[in-house]
Amino acid sequence: MKLKKNKRKPNLISDLLAGMIVLEFFFLLTDLTEYLLTEKYWLLNSLDYKLTGLFFLFLVLIASFINWEKLILKKIYIALALLSFFTLLVIHLKYNEFYRELQNYPKIKNLSKTWGIKGSWVKVSGRNFSDTHEQGKVYLGEQEMTIKKWSDKEIIFEIPLNTNLGEHRIYIENYKKKRNQTINSYQVKSI
Amino acid sequence: MKILQLISHFFRISSTSILLFSILSIFFHLDIKMNSNLLITLQIASFVYLFKIFIVDGGQNLLKHNKINISVKTFNNKQYLQKLFINLLDFLQRFIIYLPLLITGIAAFLVLKSPATNSFFIIKGMFFANLVLIVFQLQTSKKSTTSLHKLIEISMFSLVILIFTIIKAPYFNKNFTGNNTMKYNTYVEPAKYMVENNNFFRFQRKYTSNPINNVDGLYKEFSTFPLLEWSLAISYKILGLNNIFFNTRLVMYLIGLLILLSSYFLVKKQINQNTAIIFLTLLSTNPLFLLATHLTIYDTLLMLFFVNSYSLYCDYKNKQKLNYLAWAGLLLGIASTMKSSVIFWSVPVFLLDNFLINFKSFRKFVQEIGLFFVFILLPSSIQSLAISNLPNKPVISSLLLIIGLILVKYVLTKKTLLFEIIGKTFDWFIKHGILAIFSIVVIGSTAIYLLVQKIGQWSEFFTDSKLIFLAPMYQYIFQARQLSFVSYFIFALSILGFILLFHKSADRNQRITMFGLLFGAAVYLVINSKVIFFHNYYSLHIIYVYLLLAAFFLNKITKNLNIAVKFVFIILLAIFCFKLTERKTIELLAAEKWGFQATSDYIATNTQDNEIFVDDSHTLSITISASRPSIAHFNYPEIQKDIKEIGFNQTMKKYHIKYLISSNEKPSYLNYAIAFTNLDMKAFNHGEMTRRDMILQKFGLYKKQMTKEEQETSRLLLEQAEQIEKKQLFKLEKVFDSYKIYNLYGE
C-alpha cells in the first residue's frame, strides 16, 4: 500500500492560530472600513455583508498559503498572536459599543434647502431618526417644528408662523431623546 | 504547494475561524458583519470535503498519521465491516474536533440570524460539549500512538456524553417554575446575591424573608458547606446573570458529566469496562438522574463525592496505601458537611464492604473503619468552627479555616501513626476485657443518647416505630419513587443481575461491591423512608443501584459481541431506555408555567426593593427574577395586632407587603385567616401535620380526632376566610396567564 506524502500534518494549534489571525485582520479592516464609509465620509448607509463575507474568504485564502505549523514551533509567535488577538478583540468590542451608541443618535445627511420662510416645508434626509410609530421632535434652535412626515431616514417638517427669524441650528430629537451631533443650520427669512 | 493541500488548509482554517467567531458572538454578542448563509455554506462545504478525504483515504491515513497502533497486515485481514468501522473511528478521532466545530458553527449562525431568540443555550451547550471532546482529543494526541482499544473506549464514552447532552439540551433554558421550585430559590438566590454584591460570604435568601425583623432574608451563618451556591456563583460570575436559567442548568449538567465520568472509572475498576459503558448508558437516559442534574439539589453533588470516595476506597483495597483510605474518608466527610443524610446511605456501603474483605481479621476492620471515620469527622469540624461563621466573621473564620486545613494536612501525614494507634487501642481493649466492656457501654450509651437527641431534632427525616414496618408505605415508595423511574424492563434486568451475583461467573470483588451498594440502599430506604416518600430525588442512590445491577446482567449477554455491534447496541439501548421513560422525563424536565416572566417584570417595575410579595402557591421563583423578598404568609403576632388597630391595608403598607401572587383560581384565604382573628398564633399549629401523620393518613391509618376546641377554631377560620373574600381585601390587579397578582395596599 503506497503512502501519500504529506509535509504539513493537520494540527489543531496551528489551525486555531490561523483562525485567530484571520479574525484579527477581519475585525481590524472591517471596523475601519465601516467607520470611514458609513460615519466619517458617509459614502454608504451600512456595509454590504456579502462583500464582507467575500473579504473573509479572501483572508482565509491568504492564510492557507502560510505554513502555520512552522510558526507554532516558536512560542514567542504564539504569545504574540494571543496578545494581539485579545487586544484587538477588546478594541473591536469597544468599537462595537461605540458604533452602536452612534446609531442611537440621529444623523442628518442633507436638507432640501438651507433657508426658507415661515410656513414652508423642509425635507431632512439622514438616518437613525427612529420609526414612524416612535416619532420624535424637530427643533430650530429651541422652537419645536410641526412634523408632517416621519420615517427613519426622512423627515418633513413645517416651520410654524411664530418661528423667530434668523439662523438656527436644526436638532432632530428621536424618541430616545437623543439629538444629532452634527451642526446643520437653517435660516428663516422674512417674505 | 499542491492544490489539494491548499484546499484542505482553506477548509480547516475557515472551520476554526468560524468556530472562534461563533464563540465570540455568543458570549460577547458581536455583530457578525457577514452574510450568515455564506458562513453556513462554507462550514458545510468544509465538512463535506474533509469527510470525503478521510473516509476515502481512511486506511492510508491510519498508517500515515500513526495514530492507531495496527499493522497493515492486521488491518487488511479484518473483515470489511470492521475495516469500515475502524476507518470511521479514525475519522472520528481526527475530526472529533472538526465535526462539533461544524455543528456549532452552523447552529450559531442559524440562531444569530434571528436575534430575538433564547436559543443560545443550544449553542452554549454544544460549545461546552465540544470542549469536553477537544480535551479528550488533546489528551489522546499527546501520546505518540493510541491503541485501538483506547480509541474505542474514548469513542464509546463520548457517545454516551453526547446522548446525555442531546436529551438535556432542550430543557437548559426552562424557567424555574417547574417541579420543586423551592430548590431553585434555596440555592440560586444565595449565589445570585453573592455575585450582585461581589461577596461570596453573603448568605441571603429573600424567599425566607421575615417582614418583622429580617426583610432581606440575610443569614449570619452558613448552615452547611455552601459548595453548590459557590459553584453557581462562579458560573454567574463568568457567564453573567442575564441567562440565569441556562447558567444554572449548566452547572448541574457539568456535575452530571463528572458523575458519569467517575462512575465509569469506578465500575470499570470494580467490574469491567463493558458493564461501565452499559451502566452509563442506562444512567444518562434515566429520568431521575436527568432530573437530579437539572434541579439545583445537593443530592447530585453528594452522589459525585460518594462515587469518588468509594473509588478511592477501592484503590485502597487493591493497593493497600493508606493515603487512598484517608482521602476516601475526607471526600465523604466533605459530602457530609453539605448534607448529613449522605452518611446514612454511604457508610453502610463501606462498613459491609470492609467487613466482608476483612472477615478473618476484625482488628484490621476496626483499624480501617476507625481511620476512615477520623477523616470523615475532620471536615465536619472545620465546617462548624470555621466555614459556618464566614458570613458573620469573615476574617476570623478564614483564619480558622486555614488553621483547619493545616491540621488536616498534618493529620494526613500522620495517618500511618494513627492507623497503628487504633490497632494498639483495639489490642488494649481485647487485653482488658472487663474494662473494654465498661468503656464500650459508657461510650455507646453517650453516643445513643446524643443520637436520640439528634433524631428528635431530625424527626421529620428519620423513620419511627409506626412507619418502619408499614408495608403499604414501602409498596408506595417502590411504585412511585422507584419503578416509575426505572420501568419494569430495567427492574426485571436488575433482578436478573442480582441473581447473577450468586452465579460462579461473578468474582468475589464484584459480589462485594454490589452487595455493599445494595446494603447501603436498603439501610437508607428504611431509615429515611419518610423523606423518600415525599421527594422523588431522594431515591437517586437507590436507582443508581438498580441500574448497576441491570448493567451487570446486560454485560453478561453482550461482552463477546463485535465492537461495531456493541456501538450499535449502546445506541439502541439508549433510545429504548429513553423511550420507555420518555413521558416521565418530559413531565419532570419540561414543566414550565406561562406568564412567569411578565409577572416578574411587573413585580420588579411596580415595587421598591424592600417591598414584599406573598407567595400563595408555587410562585417562589419570582423572587429570583424580580429580586424581591417573599413570604409564605403574614401570620405574625405583630401583624395580627396591627390589623386590629389600623386595618388590613394600612398594616400591609406598614410592613411593605404589597402583593400576593397566586397561580390558583383564587388565593388560599384560609391560610391568612388567623391574622384577622384574636387567636393566639403561638399556640395554634396552623393545622400542620407531621410527615408521619401525612403518611398514615394516606393509608387510612391516621386516627387523631379533632377536639371541640379545634373544631370551633376551624369553623372560625373558615368564616374569617369567607369574610376576606367577600370584602375583597385582596384586590386583583393583574393577570398574566396562570399568575394572578393581588394588591394588598388597597390601591
Side-chain angles (χ1 to χ4, degrees):
Chain A
M1 198 187 287
K2 267 189 183 177
L3 294 176
K4 285 184 186 170
K5 281 184 188 173
N6 185 8
K7 284 177 190 172
R8 287 176 60 177
K9 288 183 186 174
N11 185 312
L12 173 65
I13 307 290
S14 62
D15 290 346
L16 277 174
L17 185 72
M20 267 167 34
I21 302 293
V22 163
L23 278 185
E24 274 180 44
F25 278 95
F26 181 76
F27 287 153
L28 185 63
L29 295 170
T30 46
D31 290 346
L32 198 59
T33 314
E34 184 183 49
Y35 181 74
L36 291 172
L37 294 181
T38 64
E39 289 291 325
K40 189 149 174 74
Y41 300 111
W42 204 337
L43 300 171
L44 297 170
N45 275 328
S46 61
L47 280 186
D48 186 342
Y49 284 178
K50 284 181 189 145
L51 290 175
T52 53
L54 288 172
F55 176 63
F56 175 77
L57 286 177
F58 175 71
L59 285 174
V60 173
L61 185 64
I62 302 283
S64 308
F65 283 98
I66 300 170
N67 190 346
W68 297 98
E69 284 79 13
K70 260 190 183 172
L71 285 174
I72 62 163
L73 293 173
K74 288 199 177 172
K75 287 183 184 170
I76 185 79
Y77 291 141
I78 300 177
L80 278 171
L82 280 169
L83 185 65
S84 59
F85 179 75
F86 285 110
T87 310
L88 273 165
L89 177 64
V90 169
I91 293 170
H92 177 67
L93 288 170
K94 291 286 176 203
Y95 166 76
N96 270 356
E97 226 176 275
F98 163 70
Y99 190 79
R100 257 185 243 129
E101 186 58 29
L102 275 182
Q103 305 321 302
N104 285 329
Y105 290 87
K107 207 171 160 70
I108 298 174
K109 190 167 187 180
N110 57 39
L111 303 170
S112 53
K113 281 171 88 168
T114 54
W115 64 271
I117 56 172
K118 294 178 195 182
S120 59
W121 289 22
V122 182
K123 184 159 87 173
V124 184
S125 307
R127 64 169 197 248
N128 305 336
F129 295 156
S130 65
D131 288 332
T132 311
H133 63 278
E134 288 164 340
Q135 214 163 290
K137 292 177 183 168
V138 179
Y139 294 90
L140 273 186
E142 294 306 313
Q143 280 183 287
E144 195 177 331
M145 301 290 108
T146 312
I147 308 295
K148 292 296 176 189
K149 183 195 168 190
W150 187 289
S151 70
D152 190 60
K153 291 187 169 58
E154 190 178 88
I155 299 170
I156 298 173
F157 67 87
E158 183 186 358
I159 302 172
L161 297 171
N162 60 353
T163 309
N164 296 332
L165 298 173
E167 193 158 317
H168 305 282
R169 194 173 154 185
I170 293 184
Y171 290 109
I172 309 289
E173 187 180 281
N174 63 18
Y175 85 103
K176 290 179 193 171
K177 308 274 186 239
K178 305 273 187 191
R179 287 188 174 190
N180 51 300
Q181 304 291 294
T182 50
I183 300 172
N184 299 85
S185 301
Y186 191 88
Q187 196 167 32
V188 180
K189 292 181 178 175
S190 57
I191 297 166
Chain B
M1 179 180 289
K2 292 179 184 174
I3 298 293
L4 278 177
Q5 272 179 11
L6 183 66
I7 295 171
S8 170
H9 301 147
F10 177 85
F11 283 124
R12 283 204 337 267
I13 293 171
S14 68
S15 285
T16 48
S17 50
I18 289 169
L19 171 72
L20 285 169
F21 212 161
S22 59
I23 293 165
L24 292 173
S25 301
I26 292 157
F27 288 102
F28 297 106
H29 299 284
L30 293 181
D31 179 358
I32 56 172
K33 291 185 184 171
M34 263 193 267
N35 186 305
S36 55
N37 289 330
L38 173 69
L39 285 170
I40 293 168
T41 312
L42 179 64
Q43 190 73 333
I44 292 172
S46 314
F47 176 71
V48 169
Y49 178 79
L50 295 166
F51 183 89
K52 173 204 168 264
I53 291 249
F54 283 91
I55 284 293
V56 167
D57 301 340
Q60 291 179 332
N61 280 320
L62 241 154
L63 303 164
K64 179 171 64 178
H65 295 293
N66 202 26
K67 287 285 184 192
I68 295 178
N69 189 17
I70 182 168
S71 71
V72 178
K73 191 178 171 188
T74 316
F75 180 73
N76 284 336
N77 282 342
K78 293 219 177 274
Q79 289 166 10
Y80 177 74
L81 201 64
Q82 280 218 350
K83 232 195 270 192
L84 183 65
F85 190 72
I86 290 169
N87 284 340
L88 187 63
L89 285 182
D90 174 50
F91 163 76
L92 280 175
Q93 190 216 12
R94 243 190 299 280
F95 286 93
I96 207 130
I97 307 159
Y98 297 105
L99 177 60
L101 285 184
L102 165 76
I103 296 167
T104 308
I106 291 173
F109 294 111
L110 279 172
V111 166
L112 288 167
K113 271 173 85 171
S114 47
T117 175
N118 279 333
S119 307
F120 280 114
F121 71 90
I122 299 173
I123 314 307
K124 285 177 183 173
M126 291 167 77
F127 167 63
F128 285 105
N130 289 347
L131 271 183
V132 169
L133 291 169
I134 287 168
V135 165
F136 270 118
Q137 169 68 3
L138 288 174
Q139 281 297 110
T140 56
S141 67
K142 271 182 191 172
K143 298 173 189 169
S144 56
T145 56
T146 310
S147 68
L148 181 62
H149 178 78
K150 197 83 182 161
L151 171 65
I152 292 163
E153 188 181 9
I154 292 169
S155 303
M156 288 186 116
F157 184 78
S158 307
L159 177 66
V160 172
I161 300 296
L162 195 65
I163 292 166
F164 181 60
T165 310
I166 286 169
I167 296 173
K168 285 185 76 64
Y171 309 109
F172 262 62
N173 231 17
K174 290 288 175 190
N175 63 34
F176 295 152
T177 59
N179 301 306
N180 310 97
T181 58
M182 195 190 283
K183 286 295 153 196
Y184 295 115
N185 285 82
T186 310
Y187 306 114
V188 171
E189 272 203 65
K192 183 180 174 228
Y193 304 133
M194 282 175 187
V195 171
E196 281 177 354
N197 293 280
N198 210 23
N199 177 7
F200 274 51
F201 298 156
R202 186 184 178 94
F203 191 38
Q204 186 176 13
R205 285 176 176 161
K206 285 188 182 178
Y207 81 99
T208 58
S209 166
N210 184 319
I212 311 300
N213 54 22
N214 189 11
V215 176
D216 289 327
L218 268 168
Y219 288 81
K220 290 183 179 170
E221 279 185 6
F222 284 130
S223 49
T224 57
F225 176 41
L227 183 60
L228 183 57
E229 289 90 329
W230 281 342
S231 307
L232 290 167
I234 291 169
S235 162
Y236 300 154
K237 195 85 178 165
I238 297 170
L239 301 171
L241 283 165
N242 284 338
N243 205 352
I244 200 168
F245 307 129
F246 177 90
N247 298 343
T248 304
R249 301 267 157 60
L250 179 67
V251 172
M252 299 313 295
Y253 164 77
L254 289 173
I255 295 172
L257 282 187
L258 289 171
I259 292 174
L260 289 171
L261 188 65
S262 312
S263 302
Y264 176 76
F265 288 121
L266 172 65
V267 178
K268 183 183 163 185
K269 198 179 345 191
Q270 291 303 102
I271 305 176
N272 55 49
Q273 191 200 329
N274 195 39
T275 309
I277 282 291
I278 296 171
F279 173 62
L280 249 56
T281 311
L282 297 176
L283 191 61
S284 61
T285 53
N286 181 270
L288 190 59
F289 184 70
L290 291 166
L291 175 69
T293 52
H294 179 81
L295 276 181
T296 47
I297 47 175
Y298 263 103
D299 301 77
T300 327
L301 260 178
L302 297 185
M303 176 59 73
L304 175 65
F305 275 81
F306 166 72
V307 170
N308 282 288
S309 171
Y310 191 56
S311 189
L312 283 167
Y313 169 76
C314 293
D315 285 335
Y316 167 72
K317 281 195 293 183
N318 297 332
K319 297 170 187 171
Q320 290 295 306
K321 283 188 179 169
L322 283 176
N323 214 26
Y324 290 113
L325 185 64
W327 275 103
L330 273 174
L331 280 181
L332 202 60
I334 294 169
S336 70
T337 61
M338 292 187 265
K339 200 167 179 183
S340 42
S341 63
V342 69
I343 297 295
F344 298 104
W345 50 263
S346 57
V347 165
V349 176
F350 292 97
L351 280 175
L352 184 69
D353 191 299
N354 199 279
F355 180 75
L356 291 172
I357 292 283
N358 293 322
F359 191 70
K360 290 178 184 170
S361 169
F362 192 63
R363 185 180 190 265
K364 200 166 180 234
F365 170 75
V366 169
Q367 275 184 297
E368 288 177 359
I369 292 298
L371 189 71
F372 186 62
F373 271 106
V374 165
F375 282 98
I376 289 178
L377 289 171
L378 280 173
S380 305
S381 318
I382 296 174
Q383 155 64 19
S384 47
L385 290 170
I387 294 173
S388 61
N389 290 314
L390 281 169
N392 202 23
K393 300 166 191 165
V395 176
I396 298 171
S397 302
S398 303
L399 282 167
L400 281 171
L401 178 61
I402 293 167
I403 293 167
L405 291 171
I406 294 168
L407 181 69
V408 170
K409 182 102 172 81
Y410 175 75
V411 176
L412 269 170
T413 56
K414 300 290 176 195
K415 56 189 175 296
T416 316
L417 178 64
L418 210 55
F419 192 71
E420 292 307 319
I421 289 171
I422 296 169
K424 282 178 182 164
T425 311
F426 176 80
D427 293 334
W428 186 89
F429 270 106
I430 295 299
K431 200 174 168 185
H432 300 84
I434 293 171
L435 262 173
I437 293 165
F438 177 74
S439 309
I440 287 167
V441 165
V442 167
I443 295 168
S445 311
T446 316
I448 289 167
Y449 173 74
L450 289 171
L451 200 62
V452 166
Q453 292 291 313
K454 208 71 176 166
I455 286 169
Q457 288 168 22
W458 292 349
S459 58
E460 285 292 274
F461 294 91
F462 292 130
T463 192
D464 54 49
S465 53
K466 287 198 176 169
L467 297 180
I468 195 164
F469 298 113
L470 189 62
M473 181 187 71
Y474 292 110
Q475 268 175 341
Y476 174 82
I477 288 174
F478 173 68
Q479 286 284 343
R481 303 282 176 244
Q482 293 172 21
L483 204 57
S484 58
F485 293 113
V486 296
S487 76
Y488 282 102
F489 173 68
I490 299 292
F491 176 68
L493 288 179
S494 65
I495 298 291
L496 290 168
F498 178 73
I499 294 168
L500 197 60
L501 283 173
F502 298 97
H503 190 259
K504 59 184 179 188
S505 58
D507 70 42
R508 188 165 180 260
N509 201 26
Q510 291 173 356
R511 279 199 195 115
I512 288 173
T513 303
M514 298 304 291
F515 281 132
L517 290 168
L518 265 167
F519 182 61
V523 168
Y524 176 63
L525 174 65
V526 171
I527 292 183
N528 284 76
S529 53
K530 247 184 223 173
V531 280
I532 296 172
F533 186 90
F534 288 101
H535 301 295
N536 43 23
Y537 50 82
Y538 277 90
S539 299
L540 183 63
H541 175 69
I542 300 169
I543 300 297
Y544 192 90
V545 177
Y546 272 122
L547 296 178
L548 192 53
L549 281 169
F552 186 66
F553 176 74
L554 285 173
N555 160 64
K556 183 82 179 154
I557 54 176
T558 60
K559 64 181 180 185
N560 293 320
L561 288 177
N562 180 284
I563 303 161
V565 176
K566 264 188 200 171
F567 240 90
V568 173
F569 171 74
I570 293 294
I571 294 170
L572 290 176
L573 180 67
I575 295 169
F576 182 66
C577 291
F578 175 69
K579 278 292 175 192
L580 275 178
T581 48
E582 187 181 11
R583 199 179 283 180
K584 191 76 184 176
T585 304
I586 293 170
E587 176 199 314
L588 291 171
L589 302 189
E592 201 175 23
K593 279 202 172 94
W594 298 107
F596 166 76
Q597 196 55 51
T599 308
S600 301
D601 292 343
Y602 188 85
I603 296 295
T605 314
N606 291 286
T607 55
Q608 307 293 327
D609 282 349
N610 63 343
E611 284 182 318
I612 305 167
F613 72 90
V614 179
D615 161 43
D616 184 73
S617 51
H618 307 293
T619 61
L620 266 182
S621 43
I622 291 170
T623 312
I624 301 173
S625 297
S627 263
R628 295 288 181 267
S630 66
I631 50 179
H633 57 78
F634 43 75
N635 301 335
Y636 296 90
E638 294 88 344
I639 292 180
Q640 188 184 38
K641 185 175 168 234
D642 281 329
I643 288 175
K644 268 195 285 290
E645 285 175 10
I646 59 174
F648 174 70
N649 296 129
Q650 290 304 314
T651 307
M652 293 294 108
K653 279 183 185 169
K654 180 180 172 185
Y655 294 99
H656 308 293
I657 306 169
K658 188 170 181 185
Y659 289 118
L660 178 143
I661 307 176
S662 180
S663 59
N664 291 334
E665 270 303 307
K666 56 180 182 177
S668 315
Y669 294 109
L670 191 59
N671 289 352
Y672 317 106
I674 191 169
F676 295 82
T677 66
N678 293 321
L679 291 167
D680 181 2
M681 274 195 193
K682 284 172 192 167
F684 188 66
N685 76 347
H686 301 276
E688 284 162 14
M689 292 167 74
T690 62
R691 276 181 174 157
R692 179 186 63 187
D693 293 339
M694 283 195 271
I695 294 172
L696 291 173
Q697 192 181 50
K698 189 171 172 71
F699 302 112
L701 298 169
Y702 183 62
K703 288 183 182 145
K704 189 173 183 285
Q705 298 289 337
M706 278 174 90
T707 62
K708 271 194 178 164
E709 201 186 323
E710 281 172 348
Q711 283 173 5
E712 179 57 28
T713 307
S714 189
R715 188 194 62 78
L716 194 68
L717 289 173
L718 272 167
E719 268 178 20
Q720 191 59 56
E722 280 169 16
Q723 286 296 312
I724 299 169
E725 191 175 354
K726 258 190 203 157
K727 289 180 187 171
Q728 292 189 348
L729 289 176
F730 302 172
K731 204 170 157 194
L732 182 62
E733 184 171 301
K734 202 84 182 166
V735 178
F736 293 107
D737 281 300
S738 51
Y739 291 91
K740 294 184 178 68
I741 303 174
Y742 296 84
N743 189 306
L744 303 180
Y745 281 4
E747 287 161 2

